Amino acid sequence: MAKITVIGAGAFGLALANTCVDAGHSVTVWSAFAPELEELRTKHESSKLPGVKISEQITLTDDLHCLDDTDVAIIGIPSSFVRSVAKQISPYLNKKTVLVDTSKGIEAGTFKRMSEVVEEECPNNPVVALTGPSHAEELSLGIPTTVAVACKDVQYAEYIQDIFTTSTFRLYVNTDVIGCELGGAMKNIIALACGVSDGLGYGDNTKAALMTRGIHEITKLGLAMGAEVDTFGGLTGIGDLIVTCTSVHSRNRRAGMLIGQGVSPEEAVRQVGTVEGYFCCQVAAALSRKLGVSMPITEELNHILYEQGDVRESLHKLMGRPNRHECERYTTLEELNRLHTAPGDHY
Ligand SMILES: NC(=O)c1ccc[n+]([C@@H]2O[C@H](COP(=O)([O-])OP(=O)(O)OC[C@H]3O[C@@H](n4cnc5c(N)ncnc54)[C@H](O)[C@@H]3O)[C@@H](O)[C@H]2O)c1
């Protein structure tokens, strides 16, 4: 039995907390917010995960000394707050604790992935990224779910795989941390775009187009960052893209639908709550320009979200781009560069 602490009492942290109880571990959930803890203590439910019973075996606390002798600390915090929370927990960690980051995003300004942010703030602890198609609403109900656990040092990913596995939760080890984290962060952008398309009343054809051209541009960015091409065809690439672009549970897709129906982006985010694709889109658009990787869907969505772009015009702009071949036969960054002579000229 391992001692596991979940940092954050949100939907995914609680879903993993329940899963870890099922796997036979001793679980503590830490939250900085008294009302969250109070709701869990009195009702064993959370408004962030309606209809799910949160195990009574879980210890609830607002005291970071709970980390004193923990084996694993799961970070279940939205990406915008990961750095500040990682900084806050760092002095309480002991060296044996393996950190599991579940946040999906890229940090504004630094372009760092979330595991890099955690590593910077908690330099004495190994960090494993857990990502893949895993809606909290389904994982917490014991619906079969698969994810990847990625770490440069494979022994830590294998450790998390061993201790988190249950009959309904299956974990695959992957050493391509860049690819795994990038897929998890970027699919939120494409899900927002799919939501916009749904909100406009467009159909499955359009959504399929956005998803497949979406994974294409995510893969190109990934290669430019040093990821491996195969990762984008796996759980954290196409797998997470499918679940987020098609599901009723996806907050990114829901926000996109509102925008497609005429609600302003700011208001849509306010209504839906955590919409990580909204923030990630601006960061990804800047990163793609910096790396000279053309990402037309991301660019158009960024125009809609931050430059008052018209949704219909943007979709038609995507349709009206110059004719081209579907596949670029690259498998490495060198091949990608060979195919494209000038930055921005390669889509
Ligand atoms: N919800 C899902 O199905 C799901 C699935 C996989 C991964 N994730 C990822 O997990 C992360 C968390 O998502 P979520 O859905 O659980 O979010 P959430 O909005 O449900 O909850 C996040 C929790 O983080 C804590 N928190 C927020 N801001 C904080 C701050 N400033 N200081 C301290 N604690 C703070 C709070 O306890 C809050 O309940 C995200 O990065 C998301 O991409 C979510």
Side-chain angles (χ1 to χ4, degrees), residues 33-85:
F33 304 106
E36 281 187 346
L37 293 172
E38 188 54 25
E39 184 183 34
L40 288 167
R41 261 191 208 108
T42 52
K43 298 188 193 156
H44 297 288
E45 273 190 24
S46 165
S47 47
K48 299 221 156 171
L49 207 48
V52 173
K53 179 160 168 36
I54 305 303
S55 170
E56 293 185 24
Q57 292 175 46
I58 294 172
T59 304
L60 302 166
T61 185
D62 62 357
D63 182 355
L64 280 174
H65 284 291
C66 65
L67 288 167
D68 281 350
D69 59 349
T70 201
D71 300 303
V72 175
I74 299 171
I75 301 178
I77 305 282
S79 49
S80 335
F81 304 112
V82 164
R83 186 175 289 280
S84 60
V85 172

Side-chain angles (χ1 to χ4, degrees), residues 9-12 33 36 48 78 81 102-104 134 136 251 274 276:
F12 199 52
F33 304 106
E36 281 187 346
K48 299 221 156 171
F81 304 112
T102 65
S103 308
K104 296 175 176 174
S134 51
R251 288 170 293 197
T274 304
E276 291 184 306

